[in-house]
Amino acid sequence: MFTTRLMKEVIFPEDFIFGAGGAGHQIEGNNIHSQFHEWETTRDCFPVRAGKACNCWEMYQEDIELFKRLGWQIYRMSIEWSRIEPEQGVYDFSALKRYLDMLERLNNAGIKVSLTCHHWSHPLWFEKLGGFGKRENIKYFLRHLDFLVPKIKDYVFQWNVLNEITNHGTNPKSFDLMKNLTVAHALGYHTIQKYSNAPVSTTHALVHWQPYRSYDEFDRIAAKTLDWATNGYFIHAIETGELVLPYTEAEFVPELKGALDYWAINYYTRHMASGRTENLTTHRFEFDRVSMVNGDSYHEEFYPDAFVQHLPRFKNKPVWICENGVSADDDRFRILYLARHFAALKEAMELGVDLRGYIHWSAMDNYEWGNYFPRFGLIEVDRETFERRPKPSSSFYKEIIEAHGITDAIRKKWLEPLCDWQTYNFPIKKGS
């Protein structure tokens, strides 16, 4: 993880695009008509409410100017359905106007827009109808796209219908939801195509499943099972139109086959598979654990190897990294994380992956679906004043963008001096 002195230059093609991203509910603030706002006020699993989040709903003009100064070429954002249609059939045109202003300002700043239509949050009224848990409810989402897409299409460089279809668990109940979301993606893909020529995808949560005991047949079977549920399922669905998951009947959805113009990949780190636990997962190796935030987090290690091991599975279409980043209090970990993952991405390209761009997660420290202690941002946000303070990693990233990679001079300036890491000690959650 800490090998930097021997690191070679990592140079990307001139047309490679760099940027960062965020999601509406996590950054805008006061998204009071969404189901997540309701959950935050009623469920114990959300100890902290989003509140004003990063206050981007009020400060977006300032933010876009900052993004421009930091050299970003693309910004991934989402439009909150619950702001556009806070009540069923009732549209808030003032919210639409604000989004249009955001999009126009991004375009005028020379920043391309990667637009996600649904990033985990939606109107409370839709949730009360059963949300995507009922396939018949997809028609409401398609109606939303029919309303929204024609109005914003001229500003969008690339689309993502949904965010992380397979990131909802690996049990029969979650499989039913995954299948419904996959159908929603397919129908949403064709709906967007009616109005826009920009490429359309849905972000895929890439997970590398490592058998906890590499020699153990049960752990290897667990890893293969989880890999299918979280990776192979979606790849197969797009390539064939067939929905195949454990414990459910297979389905064929004609509209699904080929319904994707590029692979949008979200990736953070690997996970461990065990054939001896109920959910087939277990903790990571303790010797490789690095606690980078003052609290329990799934970010315990770096594993850039997954880019080399898995991206060749997506060689049939262009590939975009739409989320990749690390939660760390010590920003130097973020610099190291970026360097090691860019090196892995370059090697994946040498294996034939048609990689077009990289969108770092996240633009700023934001609400992480229940708390604020995980810090993924290139920009720090003061929780009281909302002052934006770019971190050193944002300068490192800017130099990478300007050089189209990590030159030897950048490596010597930024990577060689790294030392004196800030880490924490936490009890490990043991599993079999």
Side-chain angles (χ1 to χ4, degrees), residues 166 182 204 227-245 250-253 256-260 263 313-314 316-317:
T166 59
T182 309
H204 172 64
D227 178 74
W228 178 262
T230 55
N231 295 313
Y233 157 77
F234 188 59
I235 298 171
H236 180 79
I238 294 297
E239 292 179 346
T240 68
E242 188 181 31
L243 306 180
V244 183
L245 282 165
E251 297 181 58
F252 178 69
V253 181
L256 179 58
K257 185 177 181 180
L260 189 143
W263 292 108
R313 302 170 76 175
F314 304 93
N316 61 335
K317 294 180 185 293

Side-chain angles (χ1 to χ4, degrees), residues 35 225 370 397:
Q35 100 280 19
T225 301
Y397 191 36

Side-chain angles (χ1 to χ4, degrees), residues 158-427:
Q158 64 179 203
W159 303 86
N160 279 298
V161 184
L162 303 169
N163 184 68
E164 299 186 346
I165 284 174
T166 59
N167 192 9
H168 294 276
T170 53
N171 56 71
K173 184 177 180 179
S174 66
F175 289 158
D176 288 338
L177 175 60
M178 284 165 53
K179 291 168 72 173
N180 290 348
L181 288 169
T182 309
V183 174
H185 158 76
L187 300 179
Y189 171 88
H190 293 292
T191 299
I192 292 172
Q193 279 203 324
K194 292 190 302 184
Y195 307 105
S196 173
N197 293 322
V200 185
S201 187
T202 273
T203 60
H204 172 64
L206 175 65
V207 180
H208 173 83
W209 290 102
Q210 169 108 13
Y212 189 69
R213 309 162 188 86
S214 61
Y215 56 84
D216 184 86
E217 186 66 20
F218 295 108
D219 288 2
R220 292 201 299 268
I221 291 172
K224 289 181 179 179
T225 301
L226 291 169
D227 178 74
W228 178 262
T230 55
N231 295 313
Y233 157 77
F234 188 59
I235 298 171
H236 180 79
I238 294 297
E239 292 179 346
T240 68
E242 188 181 31
L243 306 180
V244 183
L245 282 165
Y247 318 115
T248 67
E249 292 292 324
E251 297 181 58
F252 178 69
V253 181
E255 299 89 345
L256 179 58
K257 185 177 181 180
L260 189 143
D261 299 323
Y262 67 97
W263 292 108
I265 304 299
N266 296 353
Y267 171 72
Y268 293 93
T269 191
R270 67 178 171 178
H271 296 264
M272 296 295 175
S274 170
R276 292 168 175 79
T277 63
E278 183 178 0
N279 63 1
L280 302 184
T281 66
T282 188
H283 62 88
R284 296 178 185 84
F285 298 124
E286 185 170 350
F287 70 82
D288 213 20
R289 178 182 170 92
V290 180
S291 296
M292 293 174 281
V293 294
N294 191 13
D296 194 24
S297 171
Y298 70 92
H299 268 282
E300 301 165 336
E301 64 172 25
F302 290 5
Y303 196 75
D305 314 49
F307 277 149
V308 179
Q309 296 177 22
H310 289 277
L311 289 187
R313 302 170 76 175
F314 304 93
K315 286 170 64 172
N316 61 335
K317 294 180 185 293
V319 174
W320 276 77
I321 304 304
C322 286
E323 286 185 28
N324 178 240
V326 65
S327 171
D329 292 345
D330 188 331
D331 188 55
R332 292 172 296 177
F333 278 117
R334 188 166 294 103
I335 293 171
L336 181 61
Y337 185 95
L338 281 165
R340 302 311 297 155
H341 284 75
F342 278 140
L345 285 173
K346 182 64 176 179
E347 293 206 31
M349 295 175 73
E350 292 171 357
L351 293 175
V353 177
D354 183 13
L355 185 65
R356 302 290 181 88
Y358 175 90
I359 300 175
H360 181 76
W361 187 268
S362 57
M364 57 187 70
D365 293 337
N366 53 219
Y367 184 68
E368 284 296 333
W369 312 108
N371 54 67
Y372 282 99
F373 82 80
R375 300 181 183 183
F376 285 89
L378 293 164
I379 302 167
E380 181 181 3
V381 178
D382 188 291
R383 296 299 320 137
E384 299 295 328
T385 66
F386 299 106
E387 177 189 358
R388 276 77 163 124
R389 293 188 286 264
K391 302 175 185 178
S393 58
S394 69
S395 297
F396 173 64
Y397 191 36
K398 182 180 181 181
E399 291 189 23
I400 290 173
I401 296 171
E402 291 171 347
H404 262 83
I406 303 174
T407 63
D408 192 53
I410 290 174
R411 180 188 63 80
K412 289 180 179 178
K413 175 182 176 180
W414 289 95
L415 301 178
E416 286 194 2
L418 297 181
C419 61
D420 299 329
W421 300 95
Q422 177 182 338
T423 61
Y424 306 91
N425 292 317
F426 289 96

